[in-house]
Amino acid sequence: MRTVRLPSGDEVPALGQGTWYMGEQPQMRAQEVAALRQGLDLGLTLIDTAEMYAEGGAEELVGEAIRGRRDGVFLVSKVYPHNASRKGVAEACERSLRRLGTDYLDLYLLHWRGSIPLSATIEGFEDLKRVGKIRHWGVSNFDTDDMEELAALHSGGNCAINQVLYNVRRRGPEFDLLPWMKTQGIPLMAYSPIEQGRLPGRGALTEIARRHAVTPFQVALAFTLRRPDVIAIPKASDLAHVAANRQALDLQLTDEDLALIDQDFPPPRRKVRLEMI
Ligand SMILES: NC(=O)c1ccc[n+]([C@@H]2O[C@H](COP(=O)([O-])OP(=O)(O)OC[C@H]3O[C@@H](n4cnc5c(N)ncnc54)[C@H](OP(=O)(O)O)[C@@H]3O)[C@@H](O)[C@H]2O)c1
């Protein structure tokens, strides 16, 4: 499994698994657990979840999927902005740990910016690190100016990751956010890397897919994964999708492929405000 380096020097898998919308339908539960376990077997050992997903239901499902193999997993969860006070972070983390059936998170993220001062959230994260309940902390949905503000705060330089919307159709971060994060050695974790399945049914992706005998979704995922500083976390409840995503990691797009993608999905020529899904 290819890895991406965090500022601490720790290496994490470049391809992980998302869990949004998992844990919502009881009839899907067994399949979702099986999909996550198959992903683990294939080396997709980074799992991204959040207290928000199915209001704790996704964390419970992840807890079931990783039972007996916690040590082989890089576990990521997120705190709601309204819980992100110093005390609130500690309490929310306890609840997440209980649902996940573990005593530590590998990475804990602020899901998006709310009204609680970032300095209070950082204090909460640093407290949790000190007592070993989280190994790293980071943020999500932070644009370049948010990252600069964060970096200027006490311990703000300890941010390990920024998880944002980045895929072939949402290339805005290439203009300024990715270059800024690169200067700081902070990787980007790309969410919705295949645009929640909403990709055009014709054009560059289809043409490139035909050339490589893969699917347009695999091309889109390979595009997101082409950079050494990007981790992608597609969500797949279908076991065939999990296997396809793993294969996409080995798909090398050629310069010709990338030029074709630039025609259909032009890289940004000016600042584009960070989008959220
Ligand atoms: N921080 C944030 O604010 C934020 C926001 C959004 C998402 N996220 C995280 O990022 C993860 C991924 O994003 P996402 O779930 O929004 O969207 P996504 O991963 O881009 O797309 C998921 C959809 O694509 C389908 N799919 C997966 N692999 C496929 C393949 N190889 N071929 C065809 N279809 C495929 C899935 O179907 P099946 O499930 O049927 O396989 C599902 O419907 C989330 O689950 C969550 O963990 C974070």
Side-chain angles (χ1 to χ4, degrees), residues 59-78:
E59 289 181 326
E60 284 172 4
L61 187 137
V62 170
E64 188 180 333
I66 66 172
R67 201 169 298 146
R69 53 201 303 185
R70 168 70 186 95
D71 290 349
V73 178
F74 189 92
L75 194 52
V76 185
S77 193
K78 314 186 198 77

Side-chain angles (χ1 to χ4, degrees), residues 20 48 140-141 163 192 194 196 233 235 237-238 241 245:
W20 196 16
D48 176 77
S140 178
N141 296 299
Q163 183 183 116
S192 309
I194 53 170
Q196 300 190 319
I233 49 166
K235 174 260 178 188
S237 305
D238 181 320
H241 288 165
N245 293 342

